[in-house]
């Protein structure tokens, strides 16, 4: 019996984790790729732009300027909105971290990864480091990897994902992720599932803790 099969059987035999519940919705057709929110606004993200909505009224109050091809996630940090960006589906993969100035709504490059071996799909800042996910697709999606960078964008470490998680993604990859309570909550391309993973005590394969249904 393979390690992946054993992990899957243990996961399936565990008590089901409580599902996430929707508490409100906001009509934002641009939220095709992702969304981020602060106290006043929701930022709806599609491939080539970001739209800003007033959280209280639901009114669309702004739109980004600047060129983008494939934005894939957003993370608010230091009063700016940082967005994963790539040239997907073109190859070889070229990835950048973009930044949206929330005063001017101008979208600009923040860091260029070049051809880093995958398409950047999400990036978050935590514990003085950037954590960036580079996706691979199709028969190569098991090669999707997470990288920890220091403040000078030097690679500190990298990890791949457990086979039992990758097996649930089909030919797609992981499109969203965020730190929460010492774990990463990561999402696939379109399934309403949140995977909980954590850094391993040793080795370079992330540990699958569990999964939860999401709206």
């Amino acid at each position: 019996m393979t390690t992946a099969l054993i992990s899957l059987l243990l996961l399936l035999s565990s008590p089901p984790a409580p599902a996430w519940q929707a508490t409100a919705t906001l009509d934002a057709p641009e939220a095709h790729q992702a969304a981020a929110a602060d106290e006043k606004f929701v930022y709806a993200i599609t491939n080539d732009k970001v739209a800003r909505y007033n959280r209280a009224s639901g009114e669309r109050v702004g739109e980004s300027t600047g060129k983008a091809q494939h934005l894939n996630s957003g993370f608010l940090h230091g009063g700016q909105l940082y967005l994963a960006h790539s040239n997907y589906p073109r190859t070889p993969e070229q990835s950048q971290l973009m930044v949206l100035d929330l005063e001017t709504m101008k979208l600009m490059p923040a860091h260029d990864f070049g051809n880093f071996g995958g398409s950047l799909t999400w990036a978050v800042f935590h514990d003085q480091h950037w954590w960036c996910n580079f996706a691979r697709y199709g028969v190569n999606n098991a090669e999707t990897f997470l990288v920890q960078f220091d403040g000078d964008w030097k690679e500190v470490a990298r990890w791949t994902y457990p086979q039992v998680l990758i097996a649930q993604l089909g030919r797609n990859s992981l499109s969203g992720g965020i730190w929460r309570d010492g774990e990463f909550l990561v999402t696939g391309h379109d399934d309403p599932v949140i995977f909980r993973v954590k850094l391993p005590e040793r080795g370079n394969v992330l540990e699958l803790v569990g999964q939860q249904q999401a709206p």
Side-chain angles (χ1 to χ4, degrees), residues 42-150:
V42 172
Y43 299 90
I45 302 164
T46 190
N47 283 324
D48 60 353
K49 64 177 177 285
V50 181
R52 179 159 61 187
Y53 288 81
N54 184 292
R55 286 186 68 158
S57 67
E59 180 185 4
R60 191 180 190 274
V61 294
E63 180 180 300
S64 65
T65 60
K67 187 177 180 180
Q69 179 177 320
H70 190 80
L71 300 169
N72 210 95
S73 68
F75 180 75
L76 287 156
H77 170 63
Q80 308 273 49
L81 179 62
Y82 289 87
L83 303 110
H85 181 258
S86 73
N87 65 339
Y88 178 84
R90 294 179 174 85
T91 56
E93 298 97 337
Q94 299 289 325
S95 297
Q96 301 84 31
L97 184 65
M98 306 288 283
V99 61
L100 180 68
D101 186 308
L102 300 185
E103 293 293 328
T104 65
M105 290 297 286
K106 184 176 181 180
L107 188 63
M108 301 169 290
H111 181 77
D112 191 347
F113 295 97
N115 181 3
F116 205 76
S119 296
L120 182 68
T121 54
W122 56 267
V124 299
F125 189 81
H126 171 75
D127 195 24
Q128 303 305 309
H129 290 82
W130 280 101
W131 306 76
C132 300
N133 188 80
F134 293 87
R136 301 295 305 275
Y137 297 92
V139 297
N140 298 316
N141 68 348
E143 298 172 10
T144 296
F145 58 98
L146 171 69
V147 180
Q148 178 189 10
F149 293 99
D150 68 13

Side-chain angles (χ1 to χ4, degrees), residues 145-167:
F145 58 98
L146 171 69
V147 180
Q148 178 189 10
F149 293 99
D150 68 13
D152 295 321
W153 291 105
K154 294 179 181 177
E155 182 174 332
V156 176
R158 72 167 62 190
W159 300 267
T160 57
Y161 290 86
Q163 183 181 349
V164 64
L165 187 161
I166 295 295

Side-chain angles (χ1 to χ4, degrees), residues 21-34:
Q21 301 294 325
T23 59
T25 59
L26 186 149
D27 184 17
E30 299 88 358
H32 176 69
Q33 293 285 18

